[in-house]
Amino acid sequence: MDTAAEYEARYQTRSAALVAGLQAARRSGLPAALGKTTSNLFRHRQPAARHRLDVRSFDHVLRIDAGRMTADVEGMITYETLVEETLRYGLLPAVAPQLKTITLGGAVSGLGIESSSFKYGLVHETVEAMEILTGNGDIVACSACRHPDLFFGFPNSYGTLGYALRLTVRLVPASPYVYLTHTRFLAPDDFFAHLARVCEQASADFVDATIFGKDEMYVTQAVFSDGAPEVSDYTYMDIYYRSIQRKQNDWLTAKGYIWRWDTDWFWCSKHFGVQKPAIRLFARPALNSRTYQRVMRLSQKLLPASAALESVIQDVDVPIARGAEFCEFLLREIGISPVWVCPFKSSDRTYDLCPLKPNQLYVNFGFWDMVPTTHENGHYNRMIERKIAELGGVKGLYSASYYDKPTFWSIYDKVRYGHLKQTYDPDGVFPDLYAKCVERK
Ligand SMILES: Cc1cc2nc3c(=O)[nH]c(=O)nc-3n(C[C@H](O)[C@H](O)[C@H](O)COP(=O)(O)OP(=O)(O)OC[C@H]3O[C@@H](n4cnc5c(N)ncnc54)[C@H](O)[C@@H]3O)c2cc1C
C-alpha cells in the first residue's frame, strides 16, 4: 500500500525532473509546451517546434483531508480520477467540470465551471494553494498569503506564466443520489428571471439549464438525496439531454449526475452518428468525451476544412440581467441549438486575468457547432465577440478568438499581466497570452 509519504517523495522526484526539463527548454530556445495525452482545447496551434515537457505522470491524489474537506492533488489529474477518489470519502470537488478528461490544472488555467458554480464560483475560486513551475525554472508555492500576485494572476493565464503541478482544492459533502427537476419555459425573459430566482434562493445543490429553442428552455435544479426510488442511467442507450424534454423529474447516482453530459459530449456526439439506436447499440465503449476528442482531432488532421462551414465553439459569460438579450441574439443571428446555460457567482476577490465584475450573477452559455456560411472565416465568432463586449461579458479563451491586439488588451489587464510575465517568465519560455490564445503560437 502506498503511503502519503511515498506519494510525496515521488512527487518531489518527478518535480525535480520537470525543473531539469524546463531548464533544457530554456537552453534550447524553443517555447515550452505541455506534453500529455488528453486535451479539451479547441484552438489548434500553428505547427512549430516546441520543447514538450512530459507531465503525464502528474495525475495523482497526494492526500485527501476529510476533516478539512480538501484534496491535495497533482496538476494534471483528470476530474474522472479526482471524483472517483473523493467519492470514497463521501465528498466531491466543490466544482467538478463535467467532462471526464478535463484536468484540475487546465480548469484553473482557464475558467472551469459546473452547475455548483452559482454557489462556489468558478473552479479557481475553490483552490486554496498551488505549486507552479514558472518560466524561471522555479517551483513557486502560492496562496492568498504566499506569492499572492501569482496566485491571483494565474487563473485564465492558459499556461503562459507556468504550469500548476500541485493544487489544494476544496471539497463538499456528497450524498449517494441526486434528484433533478426540469422546469420548462416558453420565453427567454421568464427563463432567465426564474434562473436568477433559484440561484438567489440557493435551496438547490446544482443549477444549470438547456435552451432547445426560443420557446423551449429548461431550468434544471438538482439536490443531493440519501435514497432514490429508481435511478436513470445515461451511460448507454438513454441520452441525457433528450431526457430533459421528456421528464419533469429524475434520479441519478451522484456519479451519474457529475458525468451526465460526458456520454454524449453534451449533444455533440450527434456528429459521430452514435445517437442513432442501431449504431449506439454497438458503440458503448466509444460513448465518452475522450473518444470524441480523439476522433475530432484525427479528422481535423486528415480532412480539409470546409469554407462553407464556420466552427463556432464558444463558452461566453454574460451578466444574468443581459442573458435574455444574448439568448435572442444567439438563436437569431448564429442559429445554434441546443445551448448549455450555467449560472455562476463571480468572486469578491480580483483575479487579474478574469475581467468579471465582483459579486455578480453571470450566466455561461456553451455552444459548440458548425454554422453554414458565405462570409469570410471568423464572421460569426467575431459577431459573438462584439456582442459580449456590448453586454459586459467575457469569453473563454480555450477556443478560437479573433480579437485584434488593442481590443484584447483593453479586456485583459496588460500592465498587471506584464508584471507577472516579467516576474515569472522574463525570458518568454512560454508564449504571451495574446500570442497563444489569439495568434495560436
Ligand atoms: C463541448 C465542450 C464542453 C465543455 N464543457 C466544459 C464544462 O462543462 N466545464 C468547463 O469548465 N469547461 C468546459 N469546456 C472547456 C474546457 O474546460 C477547457 O477547454 C479547459 O481549459 C480544458 O482543460 P484541460 O484540462 O483539458 O486542458 P488542456 O486542454 O490540455 O489545456 C488547456 C489550456 O490550459 C493549459 N493548461 C493545462 N493544464 C495546465 C496546468 N496544469 N497548468 C497551467 N496551464 C495548464 C494548457 O497549456 C492550455 O493552454 C468545454 C469545452 C467544450 C468544447
Side-chain angles (χ1 to χ4, degrees):
M1 175 72 96
D2 291 316
T3 64
E6 281 165 340
Y7 275 120
E8 178 69 35
R10 279 186 228 144
Y11 167 75
Q12 296 299 343
T13 308
R14 282 185 279 110
S15 306
L18 210 57
V19 168
L22 193 105
Q23 297 298 4
R26 288 169 65 91
R27 284 193 300 275
S28 75
L30 294 175
L34 275 181
K36 65 189 185 79
T37 51
T38 59
S39 174
N40 290 282
L41 214 50
F42 283 80
R43 52 172 157 71
H44 305 290
R45 295 175 81 176
Q46 292 174 15
R50 295 188 176 91
H51 191 104
R52 292 216 172 265
L53 298 176
D54 185 351
V55 294
R56 285 172 301 176
S57 60
F58 285 82
D59 59 355
H60 299 88
V61 172
L62 297 170
R63 181 161 184 258
I64 290 181
D65 186 333
R68 279 193 67 233
M69 291 206 288
T70 56
D72 181 10
V73 303
E74 293 176 345
M76 286 70 190
I77 192 167
T78 62
Y79 274 95
E80 182 175 30
T81 308
L82 180 55
V83 163
E84 198 68 37
E85 289 288 322
T86 59
L87 276 179
R88 289 184 214 279
Y89 295 80
L91 300 168
L92 275 171
V95 180
Q98 57 276 65
L99 302 182
K100 291 179 178 176
T101 58
I102 291 178
T103 61
L104 184 50
V108 173
S109 66
L111 297 175
I113 187 169
E114 224 295 83
S115 55
S116 55
S117 288
F118 78 101
K119 273 193 177 169
Y120 303 116
L122 298 171
V123 167
H124 60 262
E125 290 162 54
T126 68
V127 170
E128 294 189 349
M130 293 185 272
E131 287 184 13
I132 296 172
L133 172 64
T134 67
N136 285 327
D138 303 321
I139 295 181
V140 179
C142 64
S143 66
C145 311
R146 279 176 92 183
H147 296 284
D149 58 337
L150 185 57
F151 185 73
F152 291 109
F154 188 79
N156 217 21
S157 66
Y158 275 98
T160 65
L161 298 172
Y163 295 140
L165 300 185
R166 178 178 189 157
L167 304 97
T168 305
V169 64
R170 276 207 330 269
L171 308 175
V172 294
S175 305
Y177 302 99
V178 174
Y179 176 61
L180 294 81
T181 307
H182 308 298
T183 310
R184 181 172 175 177
F185 292 86
L186 304 173
D189 283 338
D190 297 342
F191 169 77
F192 284 100
H194 184 76
L195 200 55
R197 227 170 10 250
V198 297
C199 293
E200 272 152 29
Q201 283 164 356
S203 55
D205 292 302
F206 304 97
V207 178
D208 68 353
T210 313
I211 297 172
F212 290 91
K214 205 176 163 185
D215 58 357
E216 190 183 5
M217 14 190 73
Y218 298 84
V219 172
T220 299
Q221 294 183 71
V223 286
F224 280 122
S225 168
D226 289 332
E230 57 182 354
V231 272
S232 299
D233 175 7
Y234 298 111
T235 61
Y236 187 26
M237 293 308 285
D238 276 351
I239 296 178
Y240 174 68
Y241 82 91
R242 295 211 179 130
S243 77
I244 295 171
Q245 295 173 292
R246 223 178 47 240
K247 299 181 176 183
Q248 257 191 312
N249 301 104
D250 208 352
W251 296 89
L252 287 170
T253 61
K255 192 162 146 181
Y257 178 79
I258 294 295
W259 304 131
R260 68 201 181 287
W261 293 117
D262 190 82
T263 313
D264 285 281
W265 213 15
F266 289 80
W267 29 77
C268 302
S269 66
K270 68 181 178 194
H271 297 297
F272 306 94
V274 295
Q275 293 188 14
K276 297 192 177 103
I279 298 176
R280 199 170 176 91
L281 201 57
F282 302 100
R284 189 166 204 172
L287 298 175
N288 55 71
S289 61
R290 188 184 299 259
T291 306
Y292 307 134
Q293 284 276 359
R294 286 195 177 137
V295 175
M296 189 200 69
R297 269 172 224 290
L298 195 65
S299 66
Q300 274 169 345
K301 268 190 195 154
L302 300 178
L303 303 174
S306 161
L309 291 171
E310 180 173 334
S311 163
V312 180
I313 295 174
Q314 298 291 352
D315 274 72
V316 306
D317 304 329
V318 173
I320 196 159
R322 313 298 296 271
E325 209 176 321
F326 185 78
C327 169
E328 293 191 11
F329 157 83
L330 185 62
L331 296 176
R332 186 182 63 242
E333 304 288 342
I334 316 292
I336 290 180
S337 67
V339 179
W340 184 57
V341 173
C342 186
F344 72 95
K345 190 183 57 135
S346 62
S347 174
D348 52 2
R349 306 294 301 254
T350 304
Y351 290 84
D352 298 335
L353 298 175
C354 304
L356 299 164
K357 292 216 171 80
N359 274 322
Q360 283 208 14
L361 195 59
Y362 281 80
V363 268
N364 171 280
F365 292 79
F367 42 97
W368 315 284
D369 216 329
M370 305 296 285
V371 177
T373 183
T374 52
H375 302 281
E376 83 284 2
N377 181 36
H379 173 80
Y380 291 105
N381 284 289
R382 285 192 183 92
M383 274 173 75
I384 292 162
E385 288 178 358
R386 284 194 295 270
K387 190 69 187 176
I388 53 171
E390 180 193 324
L391 299 180
V394 60
K395 84 180 204 82
L397 295 175
Y398 74 83
S399 57
S401 297
Y402 291 84
Y403 296 114
D404 58 44
K405 242 185 213 182
T407 306
F408 185 84
W409 289 120
S410 70
I411 299 169
Y412 300 98
D413 191 330
K414 190 175 184 186
V415 173
R416 293 183 82 100
Y417 182 68
H419 285 311
L420 287 162
K421 203 67 180 157
Q422 192 53 41
T423 311
Y424 295 106
D425 184 30
D427 302 325
V429 174
F430 305 112
D432 98 331
L433 195 64
Y434 183 81
K436 186 168 187 184
C437 296
V438 184
E439 297 176 327
R440 307 184 195 192
K441 288 185 178 158

